[in-house]
Amino acid sequence: MLRRALLLPTAIFVLAATVLSLGFSSFAQQPAKTAVPTTTEKDGIKKITDLAYVTDGRPRQRLDLYLPAKSTGVRPLVVWIHGGGWVGGTKAGVNAAPLLASGYAVASVEYRFSQDAPYPAQIEDCKAAIRWLRAHAAEYEIDPARIGAWGASAGGHLVALLGTTGEIHDFDKGENLDQSSAVQCVIDWFGPTDFVNWGADRTTYDRPDSLVSKLLGGPVLEKQDLARLASPMHFVTAKAAPFLIMHGDQDTLVPLQQSMVLNSALKKAGVASELITLKGNGHGGPLFTAPEQIVAMKAFIDKYLMPGTK
């Protein structure tokens, strides 16, 4: 049973391999490309790439979907949102096989980067993708009531926003507005949560050319109102989704304090939340893929997404 339990989140960690190896502050910018949806089948998996979740949208407003090649009935969905400092990263390269074998469908979402448009474009895109997936749930045999979000670094920030703004519609723009953008659970790997109270050496963070300043469209010290609206901490209520948060205690890019304050706020609001602190790890690292973390994440997503496991 343990061996089987370890299989599913192996895909999760392959999902995040690029994020873990590159870190929060040093991502190569990915070139935009125009593409049309393509369906391929291999090893029992149907992969549909470049599905546009915004009609006539930007090249990055697309997602990839991984499903069983043969219908197996309605499945819960795990949505991966990549990191990259909001300036890079890619939805490609997801190893979804173990997740599919364990009864999940998988979506991998790209979104506009800060050089395309400043915040809140990024969370608007993520919410548009969730709504699109719900609007097409029947077509792809997805259970619209069981959608979880998981991301690392900048992706962790965006899934944390998804998890705390499910009942807030300020970021719901565009199409499929009859669908909810809420998610049922969140796995947040070392995502920023409070841009107003960074809680560490702010020298790099406050620079006009920092990644956060680029995200906000100007120096963070001059964009404090927008910084607050970009902070998942700002939106914590009792209606937030359950969270599993993982963070290294040696992270010099996103301080551990960012996850600690979010975890505390969620608990104070009565939301199920757990923070796993990985000693000796920085912004990512080998302990994120250790067996005990794999088991913890599988138990978490099964609890909130798999029928009959709550």
Side-chain angles (χ1 to χ4, degrees), residues 44-48 65-69 100 105-106 140-142:
I45 296 174
K46 178 190 293 185
K47 178 182 178 181
I48 310 171
L65 195 56
Y66 298 80
L67 305 164
L100 267 66
V106 176
Y140 296 114
E141 295 187 317
I142 293 168

Side-chain angles (χ1 to χ4, degrees), residues 36-50 64-70 100:
V36 295
T38 302
T39 301
T40 57
E41 292 187 12
K42 184 179 180 181
D43 299 329
I45 296 174
K46 178 190 293 185
K47 178 182 178 181
I48 310 171
T49 59
D50 292 316
D64 296 343
L65 195 56
Y66 298 80
L67 305 164
K70 295 182 179 179
L100 267 66

Side-chain angles (χ1 to χ4, degrees), residues 160-188:
L161 279 170
L162 285 175
T164 54
T165 64
E167 301 296 323
I168 297 168
H169 304 296
D170 294 359
F171 303 119
D172 283 302
K173 308 291 183 183
E175 303 163 286
N176 303 307
L177 294 176
D178 59 326
Q179 302 292 330
S180 171
S181 61
V183 295
Q184 279 61 63
C185 65
V186 170
I187 299 177
D188 167 16

